[in-house]
Amino acid sequence: MDVRIFIEQKIEETRTTAGADAAISALSGGVDSSACTVLAHRALGDRLKVIYIDDGLMREGEADEVKTIFSGLGIAVDVVDAREEFFAALTGKIDPEEKRKAFRNTFYSVFGRSVKESGARYLVQGTIKADIIETKGGVKTQHNILEQIGIDPEKGYGFKVIEPLRDLFKHEVREVAAELGLPESIHQRMPFPGPGLATRVIGEVTPERVALVRKATTVVEEEIAALKPFQAFAVLMSDKGTGIEEGQRRFGHVIIVRSVESRDAMTAEATQVPWDILMKITQRILKEVPGVSRVAYELTPKPPATIEYI
Ligand code: XMP
């Protein structure tokens, strides 16, 4: 792929598709949505409205970082605070697919409202090839693949979708993002799933449980960063594990640390993390994340496991 030619073509295509209409992009700060937002901004300029939906499921400090990076690129980002709505939709849900559906429906209803307010007719989305393949293959329902799963975005939500990156794999998207002038913290960013930390909380997704997994994720990312894994994160289990505190039995949270190596997220294997790093992660999580009694490192490859837990 010639990255420059690809970018020129997609800018042209986006302009032709949108015509004189306005478009909207929901930026998450991941490499996919960032690249397609910059691309669409080049194509449409001020006719592209960029929003960041704060779903309460992002990592530590992510919203501020994204705003700062994009304002540095001359792209204004509107933050939509929808935290309560997402948590309300997730209340009481423990089935993985139900959680994904609750997330997706809330995402599109919040997004649909923003689209209506903005007057945009088009929705720019960073769907990539792996999303489409896995959704078609029935591995899971990705929140950003509407038509493939039988939802008509125009009928259901009132807008048409533009997906400039749909033929690319992750490593190609990174090249495009770098060429578009995005900083390394974005173009080399670890993949982060649309439903955010909700994919890493087994059982009910509540603000308190998300806060726990967010803290553990920060520890994992900080301690493992030097190894540059494809993806590394923490997962909160639903059951508790027995521990001992001051001679007493105590039931505490169980955190799984997952780090994988992969090229395109279609297959993956566990990172060979040095023992001292695993020990440091364990000690820090036990100390910094309240109520944790056990930390484990996951070794399962994909397949048979997926990378995320839901
Ligand atoms: P799995 O868990 O299916 O994940 O092995 C493969 C890659 O996709 C990311 N992922 C998602 N990305 N929306 C996204 O945009 C989603 O719903 C979603 N679910 C998983 C995951 O982080 C991994 O990189």
Side-chain angles (χ1 to χ4, degrees):
M1 174 184 70
D2 182 317
V3 180
R4 282 187 201 171
I5 293 177
F6 174 85
I7 291 171
E8 288 313 315
Q9 275 172 352
K10 291 298 165 184
I11 289 175
E12 210 39 57
E13 262 177 51
T14 304
R15 255 186 216 139
T16 310
T17 310
D21 287 322
I24 188 164
S25 173
L27 182 62
S28 71
V31 63
D32 307 341
S33 74
S34 297
C36 82
T37 297
V38 178
L39 218 150
H41 186 259
R42 292 225 182 139
L44 308 173
D46 290 346
R47 274 189 293 135
L48 180 75
K49 182 180 166 71
V50 182
I51 62 166
Y52 177 94
I53 296 177
D54 185 354
D55 52 19
L57 301 166
M58 301 304 279
R59 285 165 295 184
E60 200 68 56
E62 228 164 351
D64 287 342
E65 192 190 345
V66 169
K67 268 191 98 162
T68 309
I69 289 171
F70 277 79
S71 77
L73 291 169
I75 303 176
V77 179
D78 266 6
V79 178
V80 179
D81 183 358
R83 288 174 293 181
E84 278 184 20
E85 231 170 306
F86 278 91
F87 282 116
L90 289 163
T91 300
K93 306 237 167 17
I94 52 170
D95 177 79
E97 271 306 300
E98 273 189 26
K99 289 199 277 195
R100 280 184 171 270
K101 279 186 190 132
F103 178 88
R104 189 178 66 224
N105 291 339
T106 312
F107 183 88
Y108 278 102
S109 108
V110 172
F111 198 22
R113 270 201 318 267
S114 303
V115 175
K116 280 205 186 93
E117 280 163 27
S118 72
R121 297 280 300 119
Y122 289 89
L123 151 60
V124 180
Q125 277 204 148
T127 312
I128 69 168
K129 203 171 195 163
D131 300 333
I132 294 170
I133 293 170
E134 297 216 319
T135 303
K136 275 188 180 156
V139 177
K140 63 180 55 154
T141 51
Q142 300 272 357
H143 85 270
N144 51 1
I145 310 287
L146 290 173
E147 278 160 288
Q148 283 87 350
I149 55 173
I151 297 174
D152 180 337
E154 199 165 17
K155 256 197 209 142
Y157 304 99
F159 46 83
K160 291 182 187 160
V161 179
I162 298 177
E163 295 172 319
L165 308 176
R166 56 181 296 139
D167 295 326
L168 304 188
F169 280 112
K170 201 67 148 194
H171 62 280
E172 297 170 312
V173 178
R174 293 193 196 285
E175 287 176 41
V176 170
E179 182 64 32
L180 286 167
L182 283 157
E184 196 178 328
S185 67
I186 299 269
H187 69 73
Q188 291 309 317
R189 209 180 194 79
M190 280 180 200
F192 188 66
L197 296 173
T199 62
R200 298 166 183 179
V201 171
I202 306 306
E204 195 180 8
V205 181
T206 63
E208 297 72 27
R209 304 191 77 225
V210 169
L212 289 177
V213 89
R214 180 180 289 123
K215 277 207 173 102
T217 299
T218 304
V219 173
V220 174
E221 287 192 359
E222 282 175 9
E223 295 301 330
I224 234 164
L227 300 179
K228 294 193 188 307
F230 178 79
Q231 212 168 347
F233 52 89
V235 181
L236 175 65
M237 297 286 104
S238 53
D239 217 345
K240 293 205 168 172
T242 309
I244 315 167
E245 202 177 62
E246 292 164 3
Q248 300 288 312
R249 252 153 72 92
R250 175 188 87 152
F251 298 106
H253 299 298
V254 181
I255 294 278
I256 302 287
V257 176
R258 180 129 169 93
S259 178
V260 294
E261 302 308 322
S262 176
R263 183 170 159 81
D264 53 19
M266 302 292 288
T267 60
E269 57 188 51
T271 307
Q272 296 195 20
V273 183
W275 195 252
D276 57 333
I277 297 182
L278 288 175
M279 291 307 282
K280 179 98 188 281
I281 289 173
T282 304
Q283 282 152 5
R284 278 193 60 192
I285 290 176
L286 289 171
K287 199 166 146 218
E288 295 172 31
V289 188
V292 176
S293 66
R294 286 169 188 239
V295 179
Y297 184 60
E298 148 120 54
L299 298 173
T300 329
K302 173 182 180 176
T306 54
I307 294 175
E308 304 290 346
Y309 264 61
I310 74 165

